[in-house]
Amino acid sequence: MQICSSAVDAPRRGAAESLRRSAFRAAFTDSASVGLSFVPLGVAFGALATQSGLDWWWAGLSAALIFGGSFEFLLIGMVIVATPLMAVAVSAFMVNLRHVFYTLSFPLHRVHGRFGKAYSTFALCDEAYALTAGKQARAWSSPRILWLQFLLHMYWAVGAVAGALLGSLIPDSVQGLDFALTALFAVLALEALRERKGDLPTPVLALASALAARILMPDQMLPVAFALFTAGLLARRRLTARGKPHHA
């Protein structure tokens, strides 16, 4: 019986290993283009950290444990001037408030296990959300989503450590590193628009929300724009639901 059981389990283990490898390869392909912008941006962050007087390991530790992108750049100046923890916490909340809106449609329900869900929540970033929000990602498995987020995390951490170690070798005249993330978001936005060809009201609503936030509260443009955009989507959904006929 033991021999038969082992003979049956072996193909199952092999199939599971094959699925894991397939999920990793697919996630690597999905994340490769994003990594091209994450690495130089991480290098810029690591170089800025060391040039600001922080030890090289600080950049790697920040990238591994905080993984906050724009907030990490802000945190460098706050650490240098010894900003009180309460001010740091409030700043972190305001900068990352947009992640609250991401949870409304991020496929966390397809991630299995408590550890997997915890890491997926921690590693949720703008790029991971953008890549998993499209139609092509609706059938992605739990390993593929987790591998995608892990690879994005590693791109940022490796870039930060490399920038911290080699920051002194990067000349100040290098141009374009600070535009890498902006270019990435522009490409992701164009891909999202291409998938929703017939949905003109959504990009118009997003643009109107950004312009209104820019005019009304320029100092808090991002959270205000997200709030207006979400309110607009909810209002449109309610109006659409009212217009649909009800079947008995």
Side-chain angles (χ1 to χ4, degrees):
M1 292 296 293
Q2 293 180 352
I3 296 178
C4 294
S5 177
S6 300
V8 172
D9 291 340
R12 292 179 179 176
R13 290 194 296 268
E17 182 65 23
S18 177
L19 288 175
R20 284 193 292 269
R21 292 179 179 177
S22 176
F24 174 81
R25 288 194 296 267
F28 180 78
T29 301
D30 298 330
S31 64
S33 59
V34 178
L36 292 177
S37 65
F38 257 37
V39 171
L41 193 66
V43 169
F45 167 70
L48 178 62
T50 53
Q51 291 173 4
S52 299
L54 299 174
D55 294 327
W56 70 269
W57 52 264
W58 191 94
L61 189 65
S62 173
L65 300 181
I66 299 177
F67 191 40
S70 55
F71 173 69
E72 290 184 64
F73 279 95
L74 177 63
L75 186 62
I76 293 176
M78 301 178 77
V79 170
I80 293 174
V81 299
T83 304
L85 289 178
M86 182 57 67
V88 174
V90 172
S91 299
F93 175 77
M94 294 303 299
V95 172
N96 295 317
L97 183 62
R98 64 191 185 278
H99 290 182
V100 175
F101 301 98
Y102 293 167
T103 58
L104 298 175
S105 54
F106 182 75
L108 187 62
H109 61 282
R110 284 195 266 120
V111 178
H112 301 156
R114 291 183 178 180
F115 176 80
K117 289 182 181 295
Y119 179 76
S120 184
T121 302
F122 162 75
L124 176 58
C125 59
D126 303 321
E127 294 75 16
Y129 173 78
L131 291 172
T132 56
K135 293 181 179 179
Q136 78 284 355
R138 293 178 181 175
W140 286 4
S141 63
S142 175
R144 184 170 178 175
I145 295 173
L146 287 173
W147 274 123
L148 171 71
Q149 292 186 271
F150 177 77
L151 288 170
L152 294 178
H153 194 179
M154 289 301 100
Y155 292 145
W156 175 255
V158 170
V161 173
L165 293 175
L166 305 175
S168 60
L169 303 179
I170 301 176
D172 297 335
S173 59
V174 174
Q175 301 292 328
L177 289 178
D178 54 345
F179 188 72
L181 193 60
T182 304
L184 171 64
F185 280 128
V187 172
L188 293 175
L190 290 175
E191 288 295 326
L193 289 174
R194 185 179 300 175
E195 286 189 0
R196 306 179 68 90
K197 292 181 180 179
D199 187 13
L200 181 61
T202 298
V204 171
L205 179 60
L207 180 60
S209 300
L211 292 176
R214 177 67 177 177
I215 295 172
L216 297 175
M217 298 185 67
D219 294 336
Q220 301 295 335
M221 178 180 172
L222 190 60
V224 172
F226 267 108
L228 292 175
F229 183 59
T230 303
L233 290 177
L234 292 174
R236 190 182 70 170
R237 181 178 178 85
R238 176 167 294 185
L239 292 174
T240 303
R242 287 181 180 179
K244 291 182 179 179
H246 296 281
H247 299 284

